[in-house]
Amino acid sequence: MPNRNLKEPRLTLQSMKVLGAFLGNLNREFSGADIHKLTRIPSGTLYPILMRFEQFGWLDSDWEDIDPSEANRPRRRYYRITPSGLEKANNALLPFRQGVPA
Amino acid sequence: MTLSGLVLAIFVALITDEIFSWVPSLFRWIIRRNSKTLPPELADRYQEEWYAHLNEIPGRLGKLLFAIDTVRAAHKLAHQCTLPRVSRLQFLGVRFFDVAMCVMLLVMQLPLLIAVAISLFIENGGHGPILCRLPYVGLYGRRFNALKFRTFRLKPTGVDIGSADPRVSLIGKYLRRFGIDELPQLINVIKGDMSLVGPQAQRPGYFDYLQTEIPNIGKRNFVRPGLTGFAQLYAPYEGPLDNPKEKLKYDLYFIEHFSVKLVLGILYRTVVLVSFGRR
């Protein structure tokens, strides 16, 4: 849930990579492992970024809809980008898409 | 020779097999331990989420690196997600105590305050302000003007060179030595800008700088800044712990345990310190 007490996340290179991954395929949901595969950001940095975005309402997350005992593996947590996150991501990555130095 | 070699080989194979069958539970143990350091409402979520992530990493080395890196993740997450929760009851209790105490102190010190005001008035032949207002960062980052007795000369010259600051007036020197110049801040406490006990008030410019340097420094604004405080007592000015990062630890401890009882304790320690010196 978005939290109003927080400052807007700082857009570092790594957090932009995360946003870029979501922009790459808008209709897809990503697990933490998927994003790690796409961005190669180590988990120690990745999960804090994901949480910060989620706290700020840029991402939304939910459990995978499976029965862990039946599938014989733990449930994944899937992240997807929200409309406000999409807007922020588009603005933040605009300079890179146009090939103009920011 | 070959027989002992064979036995050794079988032995090594058994041992490595044993160890490798242990490894997955070792990874899970590391993750479980790290997720336990998170606040309870997040511990279960991240434990499961990280188990799932671990499950998708192919090699053992990758799994090991991932598991170890959750130390870092858990540490950062714990910092990000814990907004200080100050009990409203304690918050109101402290406010009530502040007002009652400050009204009492002001009445008790009225003769002293009047004497200081008159002497400052006379020092400059009836010119210039007696009080000065300095901007500070207060509760939830709001700005307020702290009242102090003016200790600078009317037209200050020279630069700050520590104890013998040439800008400080004669009376100002004594006011500073005994901390009397800070007394008008009791009015700030009654107004609700400050509290008797709390994190040290910061100047806006310096605080903006700290915010870029220390990620969680904003959390100290969840209570009112104080005349005295936990950090000021235990990480005193010019002591070995006198840096914003160390002080923040004390401030955050204070905020997490914010209560009338703690405030009374710190006030008591301050009174002991001021009366008998550091022990």
Side-chain angles (χ1 to χ4, degrees), chain B residues 180-217:
Chain B
I180 299 171
D181 62 323
E182 312 277 351
L183 281 183
Q185 288 175 36
L186 291 175
I187 296 167
N188 286 110
V189 178
I190 293 173
K191 276 171 67 188
D193 295 329
M194 294 182 81
S195 181
L196 280 173
V197 178
Q200 196 166 25
Q202 300 284 6
R203 306 301 301 269
Y206 184 56
F207 189 73
D208 289 342
Y209 159 74
L210 288 181
Q211 269 192 320
T212 61
E213 293 289 309
I214 306 170
N216 290 302
I217 195 113

Side-chain angles (χ1 to χ4, degrees), chain A residues 3 44 47-48 75-76 79, chain B residues 45 48-49 53 56 69 80:
Chain A
N3 192 326
Y47 283 98
R75 284 184 300 171
R76 293 175 191 145
Y79 294 85
Chain B
R45 170 192 159 168
E48 197 168 357
E49 192 170 346
H53 190 153
E56 286 176 53
D69 211 21
Q80 277 183 16

Side-chain angles (χ1 to χ4, degrees), chain B residues 153-169:
Chain B
R153 294 169 194 280
L154 272 184
K155 288 186 181 113
T157 47
V159 288
D160 184 1
I161 45 167
S163 53
D165 189 337
R167 296 172 299 175
V168 175
S169 66

Side-chain angles (χ1 to χ4, degrees), chain B residues 143-162:
Chain B
R143 304 290 150 94
F144 70 94
N145 288 315
L147 294 170
K148 293 190 181 190
F149 279 124
R150 186 172 55 77
T151 54
F152 274 16
R153 294 169 194 280
L154 272 184
K155 288 186 181 113
T157 47
V159 288
D160 184 1
I161 45 167

